[in-house]
């Protein structure tokens, strides 16, 4: 088994889905005349049966109501949290831009190629975006001025925004980075931060992100383990990681792992894959939010982690 970060390096799209043929065969048409009358009899009998069916027992009705409430709760969690999740494109310019790099003038189709995608979430109303370092590592280490990063997000009114992002800080030791986008004149919705120190194995959790470029994807699972250790981009180890069986794939990197209250409890980061297949084993990991809360403010203010300032 191998542990891989889950940044989505673009790969060929899966085979297209071929729709079933709508052609009607002659034999089917002939038989339709034979069975049509019988179908009416069967349908009438079914209707009669439904009219005379016994109502659900109180216990069964209660169970059905609880299932409906559970589904409604998950739907509400997604609707409430997804506006705070962003889609990140890692771009490389095909030529050196003539304009200043400070100007946001980038046409994806003509001037750049998409090298990978990832996820992130809105940290505050000022346009700071938290993601994984490995999602934007090329931008962080760019010396030729050809790397760019674009972020798709929505404002509080549901309007789509597409902005070039600048990296303002990163910490390889915890695989975290902070981007900044211009949201002047728009109101955006930050996530609600939770805690990871009191998590329990078995409690429900939900991942929202953009696996394989499919935006706003929700997967569900449980906290499978706590206090795990996973590799960091700098060669060290990230301790205290959250293990989950919520499906996490390439492109989920940097997206939030949330609890049943919609509070962010981790940053989806890595998954074990079966060697040589690239297929997830269902053993996935997130950086605990307590670590993120300690790290991100220093990245916003100083651009470097606390440990690098001394």
């Amino acid at each position: 088994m191998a542990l891989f970060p889950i940044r989505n390096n673009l790969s060929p799209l899966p085979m297209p889905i071929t729709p079933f043929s709508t052609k009607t065969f002659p034999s089917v048409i002939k038989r339709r005349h034979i069975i049509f009358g019988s179908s009416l009899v069967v349908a009438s009998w079914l209707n009669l049966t439904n009219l005379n069916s016994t109502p659900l027992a109180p216990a069964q009705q209660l169970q059905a109501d609880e299932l409906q409430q559970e589904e409604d709760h998950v739907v509400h969690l997604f609707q409430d949290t997804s506006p705070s999740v962003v889609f990140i494109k890692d771009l490389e310019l095909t030529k050196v831009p003539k304009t200043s790099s400070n100007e946001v003038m980038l046409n994806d189709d003509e001037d750049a190629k998409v090298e990978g995608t990832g996820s992130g979430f809105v940290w505050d109303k000022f346009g700071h975006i938290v993601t994984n370092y490995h999602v934007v590592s090329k931008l962080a280490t760019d010396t030729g001025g050809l790397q760019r990063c674009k972020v798709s997000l929505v404002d509080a009114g549901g309007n789509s925004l597409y902005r070039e992002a600048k990296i303002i800080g990163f910490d390889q030791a915890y695989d975290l980075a902070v981007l900044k986008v211009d949201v002047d004149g728009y109101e955006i919705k930050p996530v609600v931060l939770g805690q990871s120190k009191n998590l329990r194995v078995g409690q429900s959790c939900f991942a929202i992100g953009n696996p394989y470029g499919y935006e706003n994807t929700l997967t569900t699972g449980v906290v499978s383990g706590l206090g795990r250790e996973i590799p960091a981009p700098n060669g060290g180890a990230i301790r205290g990681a959250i293990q989950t069986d919520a499906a996490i794939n390439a492109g989920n990197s940097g997206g939030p792992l949330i609890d049943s209250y919609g509070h962010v409890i981790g940053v989806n980061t890595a998954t074990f894959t079966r060697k040589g297949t690239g297929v997830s084993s269902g053993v996935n990991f997130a950086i605990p939010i307590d670590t993120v809360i300690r790290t991100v403010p220093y990245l916003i203010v100083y651009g470097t982690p606390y440990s690098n300032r001394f």
Side-chain angles (χ1 to χ4, degrees):
M1 301 282 278
L3 184 66
F4 290 96
I6 47 177
R7 173 180 179 272
N8 183 24
N9 292 315
L10 292 186
S11 57
L13 293 174
M15 292 294 292
I17 301 174
T18 303
F20 290 109
S21 173
T22 56
K23 180 179 179 181
T24 303
F25 295 96
S27 59
V28 175
I29 296 175
K30 292 178 181 179
R31 179 168 292 274
R32 185 175 295 169
H33 290 87
I34 299 172
I35 67 173
F36 183 73
S38 300
S39 298
L40 289 177
V41 175
V42 173
S44 299
W45 180 81
L46 288 174
N47 288 334
L48 182 60
T49 303
N50 289 335
L51 289 174
N52 296 327
S53 62
T54 304
L56 290 176
Q60 292 176 316
Q61 185 62 53
L62 179 61
Q63 184 179 21
D65 291 343
E66 289 176 347
L67 288 174
Q68 185 63 53
Q69 290 175 4
E70 183 178 344
E71 287 186 358
D72 291 344
H73 178 64
V74 174
V75 170
H76 175 74
L77 280 179
F78 175 76
Q79 291 176 340
D80 194 50
T81 307
S82 58
S84 303
V85 181
V86 307
F87 182 32
I88 299 174
K89 283 185 180 180
D90 182 24
L91 306 171
E92 182 178 359
L93 298 182
T94 56
K95 56 185 177 181
V96 178
K98 297 179 181 179
T99 58
S100 168
S101 61
N102 293 326
E103 296 183 24
V104 183
M105 297 178 63
L106 182 62
N107 186 311
D108 294 351
D109 296 328
E110 297 178 2
D111 303 327
K113 60 180 180 179
V114 180
E115 292 197 323
T117 61
S119 306
F121 56 88
V122 178
W123 181 261
D124 57 31
K125 63 181 180 180
F126 304 110
H128 291 111
I129 306 294
V130 172
T131 187
N132 283 134
Y133 167 78
H134 73 259
V135 172
V136 294
S137 59
K138 290 187 176 182
L139 178 63
T141 57
D142 179 36
T143 57
L146 294 178
Q147 297 297 322
R148 293 291 187 274
C149 179
K150 280 235 171 174
V151 172
S152 296
L153 68 161
V154 297
D155 66 6
N159 301 304
S160 297
L161 306 176
Y162 192 43
R163 297 286 187 269
E164 183 166 358
K166 302 183 184 306
I167 188 166
I168 65 169
F170 60 86
D171 186 351
Q172 295 185 55
Y174 290 114
D175 198 5
L176 292 172
V178 179
L179 303 174
K180 178 72 164 58
V181 296
D182 181 10
V183 291
D184 287 349
Y186 295 91
E187 182 182 355
I188 57 176
K189 184 180 181 181
V191 296
V192 179
L193 300 175
Q195 295 182 339
S196 52
K197 64 180 180 181
N198 295 322
L199 292 177
R200 296 169 297 168
V201 173
Q203 74 177 77
S204 297
C205 59
F206 310 85
I208 302 178
N210 311 288
Y212 301 110
Y214 291 105
E215 297 184 54
N216 287 325
T217 296
L218 171 72
T219 54
T220 66
V222 297
V223 174
S224 305
L226 297 167
R228 304 308 194 202
E229 186 173 302
I230 59 176
N234 67 348
I238 302 173
R239 296 179 174 84
I242 302 166
Q243 180 185 335
T244 178
D245 66 345
I248 295 174
N249 293 285
N252 273 112
S253 283
L257 185 69
I258 63 175
D259 62 16
S260 296
Y261 298 97
H263 300 165
V264 178
I265 56 174
V267 179
N268 300 318
T269 299
T271 183
F272 266 114
T273 61
R274 296 182 178 88
K275 188 174 182 180
T277 67
V279 178
S280 174
S281 63
V283 181
N284 311 302
F285 301 95
I287 301 168
I289 197 62
D290 292 351
T291 299
V292 180
I293 292 173
R294 288 195 303 266
T295 304
V296 167
Y298 286 100
L299 300 183
I300 292 175
V301 175
Y302 301 106
T304 59
Y306 179 82
S307 58
N308 288 0
R309 295 177 51 232
F310 300 96

